[in-house]
Amino acid sequence: LSSANEDDVVEIENTADSGENSQEDDVNLALEMMETSFDIFLSHVPNEGSSPNNEHNHHHHQQQWALGQLPRVLVCIGDLHSYCGRFGNAVDAYCRALPYREEAWKRLKQIQAKNSDKIELLTVEDLQCQRRLVETYALVTEALLACPKGEDVICYYDDDDTEKCNDSAKSAKGPSEPEKSGETNGTVLVPAKERINFAKSHYEMAREGLDELIYRMGRMAAAKINIGKEKEDIGYLVMMVVGVGNSMKDELN
């Protein structure tokens, strides 16, 4: 190459490096903002065992709304970690979202049981709640299967956040990448020998929940209940669970 062309190549490489650094900065900024939003929402959730009265009913609804945002933020954090290839941290974030999703669906099922599961009382919100739970089971499975074979599933956090990594649903602080791939200064979430069984158990819960969800959607459709765009979201979930199932088969073969 001529010296002029060499200068052009160097400039192109520098531009590419600058673009990669900019993207990494954007991802880190997004994580930081979501971590902040998680802490804000967490500070507004109701205390365990608290019950609303007429005077504070509006405030209680605000608290319940904040509670519903926690798993949403955690799933977004998990998605970013997964995008960056930090699958151990993705597993951690998705698993932290699960208790919130499970509790929300448990409350709705209790209400449905009191109403004898009458089809005319089922709503799109019921479908959304169960779909999000099934989706989280699938995301946990997907992230586990993406982790390196034969290695522990580990999440890496800043030194000040080690305790938060161990706390299943009280923090979403972001990780710091280990300086070397062989470092083990993170928290082991799942031992290597249990990774597949752990993934399989979550996949089975996703399949079971999906079967129930499709059955409920069919009953609502037969009753001429409009479910709007939720049908498309459930269709996407079906493809997601099928894809995770295929990955599971490949892993076991």
Side-chain angles (χ1 to χ4, degrees):
L1 293 175
S2 65
S3 58
N5 288 336
E6 288 179 353
D7 291 340
D8 290 339
V9 170
V10 171
E11 183 177 352
I12 292 173
E13 291 177 347
N14 289 337
T15 302
D17 291 340
S18 177
E20 292 176 359
N21 292 334
S22 177
Q23 184 179 20
E24 183 178 354
D25 290 341
D26 289 343
V27 171
N28 290 333
L29 177 59
L31 273 172
E32 182 179 350
M33 295 176 69
M34 284 190 285
E35 292 157 9
T36 301
S37 67
F38 180 90
D39 291 337
I40 293 173
F41 286 132
L42 186 62
S43 67
H44 289 282
V45 299
N47 295 327
E48 186 175 355
S50 63
S51 57
N53 53 43
N54 292 334
E55 182 179 356
H56 299 93
N57 193 48
H58 178 67
H59 181 57
H60 178 74
H61 284 308
Q62 290 179 328
Q63 290 178 324
Q64 291 300 317
W65 179 83
L67 180 63
Q69 303 310 303
L70 294 179
R72 178 186 176 192
V73 175
L74 286 169
V75 167
C76 289
I77 290 174
D79 289 344
L80 266 181
H81 286 316
S82 182
Y83 170 78
C84 295
R86 298 190 286 254
F87 298 111
N89 288 80
V91 171
D92 178 66
Y94 294 144
C95 284
R96 293 181 184 199
L98 269 178
Y100 297 108
R101 297 290 197 212
E102 291 172 336
E103 182 60 28
W105 177 235
K106 179 181 177 181
R107 287 196 301 268
L108 274 180
K109 288 187 70 176
Q110 290 173 342
I111 295 174
Q112 291 174 6
K114 292 180 181 178
N115 295 325
S116 301
D117 200 24
K118 294 180 180 178
I119 186 63
E120 63 271 14
L121 297 179
L122 294 180
T123 65
V124 175
E125 287 72 23
D126 297 330
L127 292 179
Q128 289 176 339
C129 185
Q130 189 174 19
R131 171 178 59 79
R132 288 166 180 164
L133 174 59
V134 173
E135 180 183 70
T136 308
Y137 285 135
L139 287 170
V140 172
T141 307
E142 187 177 55
L144 284 167
L145 294 176
C147 292
K149 295 182 180 180
E151 297 182 13
D152 295 337
V153 178
I154 301 175
C155 65
Y156 294 94
Y157 279 73
D158 294 330
D159 293 337
D160 293 338
D161 299 325
T162 303
E163 292 182 2
K164 294 182 178 182
C165 186
N166 292 323
D167 194 340
S168 62
K170 292 186 178 179
S171 173
K173 298 296 288 182
S176 58
E177 283 293 288
E179 294 181 0
K180 298 179 181 179
S181 59
E183 287 186 359
T184 56
N185 58 342
T187 298
V188 176
L189 300 178
V190 183
K193 63 181 180 180
E194 298 178 11
R195 181 178 67 91
I196 295 301
N197 288 335
F198 196 64
K200 189 176 180 180
S201 67
H202 282 78
Y203 171 68
E204 290 173 351
M205 287 187 284
R207 280 293 306 272
E208 180 180 347
L210 182 61
D211 290 342
E212 293 178 0
L213 180 63
I214 293 176
Y215 171 72
R216 184 170 287 104
M217 182 181 69
R219 290 182 62 198
M220 294 177 69
K224 308 299 183 182
I225 298 176
N226 183 18
I227 62 174
K229 293 184 178 180
E230 187 61 22
K231 183 177 180 180
E232 298 178 11
D233 292 333
I234 292 175
Y236 174 78
L237 178 61
V238 170
M239 293 188 291
M240 179 183 181
V241 173
V242 170
V244 170
N246 292 334
S247 298
M248 178 71 70
K249 291 180 182 178
D250 293 339
E251 184 84 15
L252 294 175
N253 291 337

